[in-house]
Amino acid sequence: MRVLATLYEKGLDFELVPVDMKAGAHKQEPLISLNPFGQIPALLDGDLTLFESRAITEYIADEYNNKGEKLLCQSCKKLKAITKVWLQVEGQQFDPIASKLAFERVFKGMLGMTTDPATVEDLEAKLVKVLDIYEARLSKSPILAGDCFTLADLHHLPIIYYLMGTDSKKLFESRPKVSEWIKKITARPSWVKVLNLQKQ
């Protein structure tokens, strides 16, 4: 979802190749040659093969900097540095907790497993501390890295999408600045296209 949103932000033409994960196609050729961990996504751009969604989005933002949204604010070193800080925050502070919470709240049910309420409670308590820092940041800036939408914002979209469909949405909605930020980033046309594509 991150990669698709980035491609749409850049207005790039691409071919999306569906992968039947239920049949285990992600663990077989040809995908296993593209991503040795047997996961999605993978990107082929000319003779370059990449995997890991965050690496792919950063490559797209750099390589196609002159198209669509900038996403990394290349022209301003300070703004680019701030973007990189919040990219790290997303990957190191937000996602490890939020992804586990989404697994408990959303994906366990899809897999026929039972949610563990104690784990949910523990993860929510941890996520609250992270979101308090986001609330403070977003009280000074409408978007994480300043005034322009960047990968730092975009990288949050998939997990926020899943958690906002659960009771954990209260953690986001109870923080006014975080709630405003979520409304802004989830309303972007690129993200709407990703969600519409998912429904097909």
Side-chain angles (χ1 to χ4, degrees):
M1 294 171 91
R2 280 185 195 101
V3 173
L4 287 169
T6 304
L7 290 165
Y8 286 133
E9 286 286 346
K10 287 292 183 184
L12 298 172
D13 292 327
F14 62 91
E15 179 188 0
L16 179 63
V17 180
V19 176
D20 188 350
M21 294 183 73
K22 286 183 182 175
H26 56 303
K27 302 289 186 186
Q28 303 163 18
E29 292 295 349
L31 192 66
I32 201 75
S33 292
L34 304 177
N35 186 334
F37 294 101
Q39 299 171 335
I40 57 170
L43 175 80
L44 278 172
D45 189 17
D47 61 357
L48 178 68
T49 302
L50 294 174
F51 54 93
E52 294 297 337
S53 65
R54 290 170 181 84
I56 294 170
T57 61
E58 288 194 43
Y59 165 75
I60 294 167
D62 267 332
E63 182 67 13
Y64 299 97
N65 184 49
N66 60 338
K67 303 217 179 212
E69 288 293 321
K70 294 301 176 199
L71 299 180
L72 281 178
C73 301
Q74 303 279 20
S75 59
C76 176
K77 287 182 181 178
K78 286 183 180 177
L79 201 50
K80 187 174 180 183
I82 293 168
T83 301
K84 288 193 171 190
V85 166
W86 286 96
L87 281 169
Q88 289 298 313
V89 170
E90 185 276 333
Q92 304 297 323
Q93 305 295 331
F94 176 84
D95 192 69
I97 301 165
S99 288
K100 287 176 187 167
L101 185 55
F103 178 72
E104 286 293 332
R105 289 280 201 187
V106 179
F107 299 110
K108 270 192 170 181
M110 290 179 180
L111 298 168
M113 301 164 71
T114 305
T115 298
D116 180 355
T119 301
V120 168
E121 187 177 346
D122 178 57
L123 290 167
E124 286 189 340
K126 290 176 181 174
L127 188 57
V128 159
K129 293 175 182 175
V130 175
L131 291 177
D132 284 343
I133 293 168
Y134 277 58
E135 183 72 9
R137 170 61 184 167
L138 292 164
S139 68
K140 298 172 189 168
S141 169
I143 298 286
L144 287 176
D147 293 326
C148 64
F149 179 80
T150 69
L151 288 181
D153 305 291
L154 185 149
H155 281 189
H156 289 80
L157 284 166
I159 295 301
I160 284 175
Y161 164 72
Y162 287 114
L163 290 178
M164 290 301 284
T166 73
D167 287 344
S168 294
K169 70 181 179 181
K170 65 183 182 286
L171 307 180
F172 301 94
E173 291 176 341
S174 61
R175 289 162 176 78
K177 296 300 181 184
V178 169
S179 183
E180 281 175 34
W181 169 67
I182 288 173
K183 284 176 189 164
K184 260 183 223 153
I185 66 174
T186 57
R188 291 188 70 82
S190 64
W191 186 244
V192 174
K193 285 181 183 177
V194 171
L195 297 183
N196 287 339
L197 186 63
Q198 203 177 30
K199 292 173 189 170
Q200 293 177 8

